[in-house]
Amino acid sequence: ICAGESMGFNVSPTPTGYESLTWEFGDGLDSNDPNTTYSYPNNDNIAQYNPVLTIVNPNGCFATAVIQASPVEVIPAPVALLSPAGTLLDCGPFSATLSATVSTGFGSTTNYTWSGPTMSPPAPNCASCDTWNINMYGTYQVVVENSNGCQGFSNEVDVFQNCGSGCQGPTLVASNSSFIDCATGQANIQYNPYNYNILSETWIF
């Protein structure tokens, strides 16, 4: 199993009338739910764990069971850092390059899958796509997969508009408008957002 992936721990049939029930996952953490899931933490190397189930009845008698199969083997997942990290501020048309740096993991990096605003250039998705040239405001992230099929999600990078005085705003142009006295009228406006995310629109009559 890959680090961070969910693994199920179940008792069948589900016991009743017990005083306590404890799943010990082997890494120092536990759960008192008879049917639960757990995600093992990431490590620098492959790790093995021996989960143990202990059930105590109302009389204080207990039974302990160790999973009979081989120990749970946890393969390190890649850790991806997206940079520049944090929040980026710009105004009007802009361009920037996001870079993904991969650490930890066990095995070579086999794929980068990027996500971001749909109007951006097509999101890269390949084994060597560790950068993405962007030009849209929004939230960006990359998922990295290694040769063992384990995935790691990077930090998110938010790109926001921060326009002070003197910055170029959207262009508004009236077009195909018709106004008829005492009847229905229509006003049409076309705008060029210059890669802005429009935060509000207000008609002043």
Side-chain angles (χ1 to χ4, degrees):
I1 188 174
C2 295
E5 287 185 348
S6 181
M7 181 176 179
F9 293 85
N10 303 290
V11 182
S12 181
T14 302
T16 59
Y18 57 83
E19 182 69 21
S20 67
L21 180 151
T22 304
W23 276 106
E24 297 177 72
F25 302 117
D27 62 349
L29 297 179
D30 57 47
S31 172
N32 300 121
D33 295 326
N35 301 305
T36 187
T37 59
Y38 183 68
S39 299
Y40 282 96
N42 216 357
N43 293 286
D44 292 331
N45 299 292
I46 294 177
Q48 294 185 338
Y49 301 97
N50 294 289
V52 177
L53 172 67
T54 301
I55 300 177
V56 179
N57 69 16
N59 297 319
C61 300
F62 68 91
T64 298
V66 180
I67 292 181
Q68 294 299 313
S70 58
V72 176
E73 187 173 80
V74 180
I75 302 173
V79 176
L81 174 64
L82 200 55
S83 61
T87 300
L88 307 182
L89 303 177
D90 214 308
C91 180
F94 83 98
S95 63
T97 300
L98 299 180
S99 301
T101 303
V102 181
S103 60
T104 314
F106 192 81
S108 59
T109 300
T110 58
N111 200 61
Y112 296 84
T113 302
W114 293 81
S115 62
T118 56
M119 292 181 63
S120 287
N125 185 350
C126 70
S128 60
C129 303
D130 57 350
T131 62
W132 188 9
N133 296 321
I134 63 172
N135 62 11
M136 291 294 299
Y137 295 101
T139 299
Y140 294 84
Q141 189 177 40
V142 65
V143 179
V144 179
E145 183 173 337
N146 65 18
S147 55
N148 293 294
C150 297
Q151 293 184 335
F153 290 77
S154 76
N155 53 303
E156 292 184 344
V157 173
D158 294 313
V159 186
F160 292 136
Q161 329 176 62
N162 182 25
C163 295
S165 60
C167 283
Q168 182 181 29
T171 298
L172 302 178
V173 178
S175 64
N176 300 324
S177 299
S178 60
F179 301 94
I180 304 174
D181 292 339
C182 302
T184 301
Q186 179 173 299
N188 300 315
I189 299 293
Q190 293 181 339
Y191 74 89
N192 182 346
Y194 291 109
N195 290 345
Y196 283 89
N197 291 331
I198 301 303
L199 301 181
S200 66
E201 298 177 0
T202 304
W203 283 96
I204 302 176
F205 302 111

